[in-house]
Amino acid sequence: MYYVYMLRCEDNSLYTGITTDVERRMREHVSKDKKCAKYTFNHTAIKIESVWKTENRALASKLEFHIKKLSKIQKEKLIIYNHLEEVFENKIEVDRYIKMI
């Protein structure tokens, strides 16, 4: 299983990534481990906002790509309402993603 996650940073910015282990990845971001993302090294991660589960890396990468292209307002709405089908309008197969958080 692969997971696409969005996390919030201290400065209220959002970071999106993919992983096979959400808890481990969050620890890396929060601790600023050498494996953390360059973005979260400079923007302190404070909490996970959303997580979607999918069956493979290709699907996770596709969702991550499309989320990263959204505006901050669109990302905030996605966190609150989880309307993948409205946000991505046939760009991804939304039934292949299961909202976890």
Short mmCIF file of all heavy atoms in Angstrom, two decimals, residues 22-66:
data_model
loop_
_atom_site.label_atom_id
_atom_site.label_comp_id
_atom_site.label_asym_id
_atom_site.label_seq_id
_atom_site.Cartn_x
_atom_site.Cartn_y
_atom_site.Cartn_z
N VAL A 22 3.14 6.08 6.99
CA VAL A 22 2.82 7.46 7.34
C VAL A 22 3.45 7.86 8.68
O VAL A 22 4.00 8.96 8.80
CB VAL A 22 1.29 7.68 7.36
CG1 VAL A 22 0.96 9.09 7.81
CG2 VAL A 22 0.70 7.40 6.00
N GLU A 23 3.37 7.00 9.68
CA GLU A 23 3.93 7.34 10.99
C GLU A 23 5.43 7.57 10.93
O GLU A 23 5.94 8.54 11.49
CB GLU A 23 3.60 6.24 12.01
CG GLU A 23 2.13 6.21 12.37
CD GLU A 23 1.82 5.12 13.39
OE1 GLU A 23 2.73 4.67 14.11
OE2 GLU A 23 0.64 4.72 13.45
N ARG A 24 6.15 6.69 10.24
CA ARG A 24 7.60 6.86 10.10
C ARG A 24 7.92 8.15 9.36
O ARG A 24 8.78 8.93 9.78
CB ARG A 24 8.21 5.67 9.35
CG ARG A 24 9.70 5.88 9.02
CD ARG A 24 10.25 4.86 8.03
NE ARG A 24 9.44 4.63 6.86
CZ ARG A 24 9.44 5.41 5.77
NH1 ARG A 24 10.19 6.51 5.72
NH2 ARG A 24 8.68 5.13 4.74
N ARG A 25 7.19 8.39 8.27
CA ARG A 25 7.47 9.58 7.46
C ARG A 25 7.20 10.86 8.25
O ARG A 25 7.98 11.81 8.17
CB ARG A 25 6.60 9.54 6.19
CG ARG A 25 7.04 10.57 5.18
CD ARG A 25 8.42 10.26 4.65
NE ARG A 25 8.80 11.22 3.63
CZ ARG A 25 9.94 11.90 3.64
NH1 ARG A 25 10.84 11.70 4.58
NH2 ARG A 25 10.20 12.77 2.69
N MET A 26 6.14 10.87 9.04
CA MET A 26 5.84 12.05 9.87
C MET A 26 6.96 12.26 10.89
O MET A 26 7.38 13.40 11.12
CB MET A 26 4.49 11.89 10.55
CG MET A 26 4.03 13.12 11.27
SD MET A 26 3.82 14.53 10.17
CE MET A 26 3.35 15.78 11.34
N ARG A 27 7.44 11.19 11.51
CA ARG A 27 8.56 11.32 12.46
C ARG A 27 9.78 11.93 11.78
O ARG A 27 10.47 12.77 12.35
CB ARG A 27 8.94 9.96 13.06
CG ARG A 27 8.06 9.50 14.18
CD ARG A 27 8.65 8.32 14.94
NE ARG A 27 9.07 7.21 14.09
CZ ARG A 27 8.28 6.21 13.68
NH1 ARG A 27 7.00 6.20 14.04
NH2 ARG A 27 8.75 5.24 12.93
N GLU A 28 10.06 11.51 10.54
CA GLU A 28 11.20 12.06 9.80
C GLU A 28 11.02 13.56 9.56
O GLU A 28 11.96 14.33 9.70
CB GLU A 28 11.37 11.32 8.47
CG GLU A 28 11.84 9.90 8.64
CD GLU A 28 11.79 9.09 7.36
OE1 GLU A 28 11.27 9.59 6.32
OE2 GLU A 28 12.25 7.93 7.38
N HIS A 29 9.80 13.95 9.18
CA HIS A 29 9.54 15.37 8.94
C HIS A 29 9.66 16.18 10.23
O HIS A 29 10.32 17.22 10.25
CB HIS A 29 8.13 15.58 8.37
CG HIS A 29 7.97 15.15 6.95
ND1 HIS A 29 8.76 15.62 5.91
CD2 HIS A 29 7.08 14.31 6.37
CE1 HIS A 29 8.36 15.08 4.77
NE2 HIS A 29 7.34 14.27 5.03
N VAL A 30 9.02 15.73 11.29
CA VAL A 30 9.00 16.48 12.55
C VAL A 30 10.39 16.59 13.17
O VAL A 30 10.78 17.65 13.66
CB VAL A 30 8.00 15.85 13.55
CG1 VAL A 30 8.14 16.45 14.93
CG2 VAL A 30 6.58 16.01 13.04
N SER A 31 11.14 15.50 13.13
CA SER A 31 12.48 15.50 13.75
C SER A 31 13.54 16.15 12.86
O SER A 31 14.68 16.32 13.29
CB SER A 31 12.90 14.07 14.08
OG SER A 31 13.14 13.34 12.88
N LYS A 32 13.14 16.48 11.63
CA LYS A 32 14.08 17.03 10.64
C LYS A 32 15.24 16.08 10.41
O LYS A 32 16.40 16.47 10.22
CB LYS A 32 14.55 18.43 11.03
CG LYS A 32 13.38 19.39 11.12
CD LYS A 32 13.81 20.81 11.27
CE LYS A 32 12.56 21.65 11.41
NZ LYS A 32 12.62 22.85 10.66
N ASP A 33 14.91 14.81 10.42
CA ASP A 33 15.83 13.71 10.12
C ASP A 33 16.47 13.96 8.76
O ASP A 33 15.91 14.67 7.92
CB ASP A 33 15.00 12.41 10.13
CG ASP A 33 15.81 11.19 9.82
OD1 ASP A 33 15.95 10.87 8.63
OD2 ASP A 33 16.28 10.54 10.77
N LYS A 34 17.60 13.34 8.52
CA LYS A 34 18.27 13.53 7.23
C LYS A 34 17.41 13.06 6.06
O LYS A 34 17.63 13.45 4.93
CB LYS A 34 19.62 12.82 7.23
CG LYS A 34 19.54 11.32 7.34
CD LYS A 34 20.90 10.68 7.37
CE LYS A 34 20.76 9.17 7.51
NZ LYS A 34 22.03 8.51 7.62
N LYS A 35 16.40 12.22 6.34
CA LYS A 35 15.51 11.74 5.29
C LYS A 35 14.28 12.63 5.10
O LYS A 35 13.45 12.36 4.23
CB LYS A 35 15.05 10.32 5.60
CG LYS A 35 16.17 9.31 5.53
CD LYS A 35 15.65 7.92 5.81
CE LYS A 35 16.78 6.91 5.75
NZ LYS A 35 16.28 5.56 6.05
N CYS A 36 14.12 13.67 5.90
CA CYS A 36 12.95 14.53 5.74
C CYS A 36 13.06 15.29 4.42
O CYS A 36 14.13 15.42 3.84
CB CYS A 36 12.80 15.49 6.92
SG CYS A 36 13.80 16.98 6.86
N ALA A 37 11.94 15.79 3.97
CA ALA A 37 11.92 16.56 2.73
C ALA A 37 12.63 17.90 2.94
O ALA A 37 12.63 18.45 4.03
CB ALA A 37 10.48 16.81 2.30
N LYS A 38 13.23 18.39 1.88
CA LYS A 38 13.89 19.69 1.94
C LYS A 38 12.92 20.77 2.42
O LYS A 38 13.27 21.64 3.20
CB LYS A 38 14.43 20.06 0.55
CG LYS A 38 15.36 21.24 0.55
CD LYS A 38 15.81 21.63 -0.85
CE LYS A 38 16.61 20.52 -1.50
NZ LYS A 38 17.16 20.95 -2.81
N TYR A 39 11.67 20.67 1.97
CA TYR A 39 10.66 21.64 2.36
C TYR A 39 10.42 21.63 3.86
O TYR A 39 10.39 22.68 4.50
CB TYR A 39 9.34 21.39 1.62
CG TYR A 39 8.33 22.48 1.85
CD1 TYR A 39 8.33 23.62 1.06
CD2 TYR A 39 7.39 22.39 2.88
CE1 TYR A 39 7.43 24.64 1.28
CE2 TYR A 39 6.49 23.42 3.12
CZ TYR A 39 6.52 24.54 2.31
OH TYR A 39 5.63 25.56 2.55
N THR A 40 10.25 20.44 4.44
CA THR A 40 9.96 20.36 5.88
C THR A 40 11.19 20.57 6.73
O THR A 40 11.08 20.77 7.94
CB THR A 40 9.25 19.04 6.26
OG1 THR A 40 10.06 17.94 5.88
CG2 THR A 40 7.89 18.97 5.60
N PHE A 41 12.35 20.56 6.13
CA PHE A 41 13.56 20.91 6.87
C PHE A 41 13.53 22.41 7.18
O PHE A 41 13.96 22.86 8.23
CB PHE A 41 14.81 20.55 6.09
CG PHE A 41 16.07 20.73 6.88
CD1 PHE A 41 16.47 19.78 7.79
CD2 PHE A 41 16.86 21.87 6.73
CE1 PHE A 41 17.62 19.94 8.55
CE2 PHE A 41 18.01 22.05 7.47
CZ PHE A 41 18.39 21.08 8.38
N ASN A 42 12.97 23.18 6.25
CA ASN A 42 12.90 24.63 6.39
C ASN A 42 11.55 25.14 6.90
O ASN A 42 11.43 26.30 7.28
CB ASN A 42 13.23 25.31 5.06
CG ASN A 42 14.65 25.05 4.64
OD1 ASN A 42 15.57 25.25 5.41
ND2 ASN A 42 14.83 24.57 3.43
N HIS A 43 10.53 24.31 6.85
CA HIS A 43 9.18 24.65 7.32
C HIS A 43 8.78 23.54 8.29
O HIS A 43 8.44 22.45 7.87
CB HIS A 43 8.18 24.70 6.17
CG HIS A 43 8.49 25.72 5.14
ND1 HIS A 43 9.38 25.51 4.12
CD2 HIS A 43 8.05 26.98 4.98
CE1 HIS A 43 9.44 26.58 3.37
NE2 HIS A 43 8.65 27.51 3.87
N THR A 44 8.77 23.82 9.57
CA THR A 44 8.54 22.80 10.59
C THR A 44 7.15 22.18 10.49
O THR A 44 6.13 22.87 10.60
CB THR A 44 8.74 23.41 12.00
OG1 THR A 44 10.05 23.96 12.06
CG2 THR A 44 8.57 22.36 13.08
N ALA A 45 7.12 20.87 10.28
CA ALA A 45 5.86 20.11 10.20
C ALA A 45 5.26 19.98 11.59
O ALA A 45 5.97 19.68 12.55
CB ALA A 45 6.12 18.74 9.60
N ILE A 46 3.93 20.19 11.68
CA ILE A 46 3.31 20.07 13.00
C ILE A 46 2.20 19.02 13.06
O ILE A 46 1.98 18.43 14.11
CB ILE A 46 2.77 21.42 13.53
CG1 ILE A 46 1.82 22.07 12.53
CG2 ILE A 46 3.91 22.34 13.88
CD1 ILE A 46 1.11 23.30 13.07
N LYS A 47 1.48 18.77 11.94
CA LYS A 47 0.43 17.74 12.00
C LYS A 47 0.03 17.27 10.61
O LYS A 47 0.16 17.99 9.63
CB LYS A 47 -0.79 18.24 12.75
CG LYS A 47 -1.58 19.31 12.05
CD LYS A 47 -2.83 19.67 12.86
CE LYS A 47 -3.65 20.71 12.16
NZ LYS A 47 -4.92 20.96 12.81
N ILE A 48 -0.48 16.06 10.58
CA ILE A 48 -1.02 15.50 9.34
C ILE A 48 -2.46 15.98 9.20
O ILE A 48 -3.24 15.90 10.14
CB ILE A 48 -0.97 13.96 9.37
CG1 ILE A 48 0.48 13.49 9.36
CG2 ILE A 48 -1.73 13.38 8.18
CD1 ILE A 48 0.64 12.00 9.46
N GLU A 49 -2.79 16.47 8.03
CA GLU A 49 -4.14 16.96 7.76
C GLU A 49 -5.01 15.93 7.04
O GLU A 49 -6.18 15.81 7.33
CB GLU A 49 -4.09 18.24 6.92
CG GLU A 49 -3.55 19.43 7.67
CD GLU A 49 -4.52 20.01 8.68
OE1 GLU A 49 -5.61 19.45 8.90
OE2 GLU A 49 -4.19 21.04 9.27
N SER A 50 -4.43 15.22 6.07
CA SER A 50 -5.19 14.23 5.29
C SER A 50 -4.27 13.12 4.84
O SER A 50 -3.09 13.35 4.58
CB SER A 50 -5.81 14.86 4.04
OG SER A 50 -6.83 15.75 4.36
N VAL A 51 -4.85 11.93 4.70
CA VAL A 51 -4.13 10.78 4.17
C VAL A 51 -5.09 9.99 3.29
O VAL A 51 -6.23 9.74 3.67
CB VAL A 51 -3.61 9.85 5.30
CG1 VAL A 51 -2.91 8.63 4.71
CG2 VAL A 51 -2.68 10.59 6.25
N TRP A 52 -4.60 9.61 2.11
CA TRP A 52 -5.34 8.73 1.21
C TRP A 52 -4.51 7.49 0.96
O TRP A 52 -3.30 7.57 0.75
CB TRP A 52 -5.61 9.42 -0.13
CG TRP A 52 -6.52 10.59 -0.04
CD1 TRP A 52 -7.88 10.60 -0.14
CD2 TRP A 52 -6.14 11.96 0.19
NE1 TRP A 52 -8.36 11.87 0.01
CE2 TRP A 52 -7.31 12.73 0.20
CE3 TRP A 52 -4.90 12.60 0.37
CZ2 TRP A 52 -7.30 14.11 0.39
CZ3 TRP A 52 -4.89 13.96 0.58
CH2 TRP A 52 -6.08 14.70 0.58
N LYS A 53 -5.17 6.34 0.96
CA LYS A 53 -4.49 5.06 0.71
C LYS A 53 -4.80 4.61 -0.70
O LYS A 53 -5.92 4.76 -1.18
CB LYS A 53 -4.99 4.03 1.72
CG LYS A 53 -4.38 2.65 1.54
CD LYS A 53 -4.77 1.72 2.68
CE LYS A 53 -6.19 1.23 2.52
NZ LYS A 53 -6.53 0.13 3.44
N THR A 54 -3.79 4.02 -1.36
CA THR A 54 -4.00 3.46 -2.68
C THR A 54 -3.09 2.24 -2.86
O THR A 54 -2.19 2.01 -2.05
CB THR A 54 -3.78 4.52 -3.78
OG1 THR A 54 -4.29 4.01 -5.02
CG2 THR A 54 -2.33 4.91 -3.92
N GLU A 55 -3.33 1.49 -3.91
CA GLU A 55 -2.68 0.19 -4.05
C GLU A 55 -1.24 0.21 -4.57
O GLU A 55 -0.50 -0.75 -4.36
CB GLU A 55 -3.53 -0.71 -4.93
CG GLU A 55 -3.70 -0.17 -6.35
CD GLU A 55 -4.82 -0.84 -7.12
OE1 GLU A 55 -5.94 -0.87 -6.59
OE2 GLU A 55 -4.55 -1.31 -8.24
N ASN A 56 -0.83 1.26 -5.26
CA ASN A 56 0.53 1.24 -5.80
C ASN A 56 1.13 2.64 -5.90
O ASN A 56 0.45 3.64 -5.77
CB ASN A 56 0.57 0.53 -7.16
CG ASN A 56 -0.29 1.20 -8.20
OD1 ASN A 56 -0.15 2.39 -8.47
ND2 ASN A 56 -1.21 0.45 -8.80
N ARG A 57 2.43 2.67 -6.15
CA ARG A 57 3.18 3.92 -6.20
C ARG A 57 2.72 4.81 -7.37
O ARG A 57 2.68 6.03 -7.24
CB ARG A 57 4.67 3.64 -6.30
CG ARG A 57 5.50 4.89 -6.26
CD ARG A 57 7.00 4.60 -6.33
NE ARG A 57 7.75 5.81 -6.31
CZ ARG A 57 8.20 6.41 -5.22
NH1 ARG A 57 7.99 5.86 -4.05
NH2 ARG A 57 8.87 7.54 -5.30
N ALA A 58 2.39 4.20 -8.50
CA ALA A 58 1.97 4.98 -9.66
C ALA A 58 0.72 5.80 -9.35
O ALA A 58 0.66 7.00 -9.68
CB ALA A 58 1.74 4.07 -10.86
N LEU A 59 -0.26 5.17 -8.72
CA LEU A 59 -1.48 5.90 -8.35
C LEU A 59 -1.20 6.97 -7.31
O LEU A 59 -1.72 8.08 -7.39
CB LEU A 59 -2.54 4.93 -7.82
CG LEU A 59 -3.19 4.03 -8.86
CD1 LEU A 59 -4.02 2.94 -8.19
CD2 LEU A 59 -4.05 4.84 -9.82
N ALA A 60 -0.35 6.65 -6.34
CA ALA A 60 0.00 7.63 -5.32
C ALA A 60 0.71 8.83 -5.95
O ALA A 60 0.40 9.98 -5.63
CB ALA A 60 0.88 6.99 -4.25
N SER A 61 1.62 8.58 -6.84
CA SER A 61 2.36 9.66 -7.50
C SER A 61 1.43 10.54 -8.33
O SER A 61 1.60 11.76 -8.38
CB SER A 61 3.46 9.09 -8.40
OG SER A 61 4.43 8.45 -7.62
N LYS A 62 0.45 9.92 -8.96
CA LYS A 62 -0.49 10.69 -9.77
C LYS A 62 -1.32 11.63 -8.91
O LYS A 62 -1.49 12.81 -9.24
CB LYS A 62 -1.40 9.73 -10.54
CG LYS A 62 -2.24 10.39 -11.59
CD LYS A 62 -2.93 9.36 -12.47
CE LYS A 62 -3.60 10.06 -13.62
NZ LYS A 62 -4.20 9.12 -14.55
N LEU A 63 -1.83 11.13 -7.77
CA LEU A 63 -2.60 11.99 -6.88
C LEU A 63 -1.72 13.09 -6.30
O LEU A 63 -2.12 14.26 -6.26
CB LEU A 63 -3.24 11.17 -5.76
CG LEU A 63 -4.07 11.96 -4.75
CD1 LEU A 63 -5.20 12.74 -5.43
CD2 LEU A 63 -4.62 11.03 -3.67
N GLU A 64 -0.51 12.73 -5.87
CA GLU A 64 0.42 13.73 -5.33
C GLU A 64 0.66 14.84 -6.35
O GLU A 64 0.62 16.03 -6.01
CB GLU A 64 1.74 13.07 -4.94
CG GLU A 64 2.77 14.06 -4.44
CD GLU A 64 4.18 13.48 -4.36
OE1 GLU A 64 4.52 12.61 -5.19
OE2 GLU A 64 4.93 13.92 -3.50
N PHE A 65 0.93 14.48 -7.57
CA PHE A 65 1.18 15.45 -8.65
C PHE A 65 0.01 16.42 -8.78
O PHE A 65 0.20 17.64 -8.84
CB PHE A 65 1.41 14.70 -9.97
CG PHE A 65 1.47 15.59 -11.17
CD1 PHE A 65 2.62 16.30 -11.47
CD2 PHE A 65 0.37 15.72 -12.00
CE1 PHE A 65 2.67 17.13 -12.58
CE2 PHE A 65 0.41 16.55 -13.12
CZ PHE A 65 1.57 17.26 -13.41
N HIS A 66 -1.21 15.89 -8.81
CA HIS A 66 -2.38 16.75 -8.99
C HIS A 66 -2.65 17.62 -7.77
O HIS A 66 -3.04 18.79 -7.92
CB HIS A 66 -3.60 15.92 -9.36
CG HIS A 66 -3.56 15.42 -10.77
ND1 HIS A 66 -3.68 16.25 -11.86
CD2 HIS A 66 -3.38 14.18 -11.27
CE1 HIS A 66 -3.59 15.55 -12.97
NE2 HIS A 66 -3.40 14.28 -12.64
#
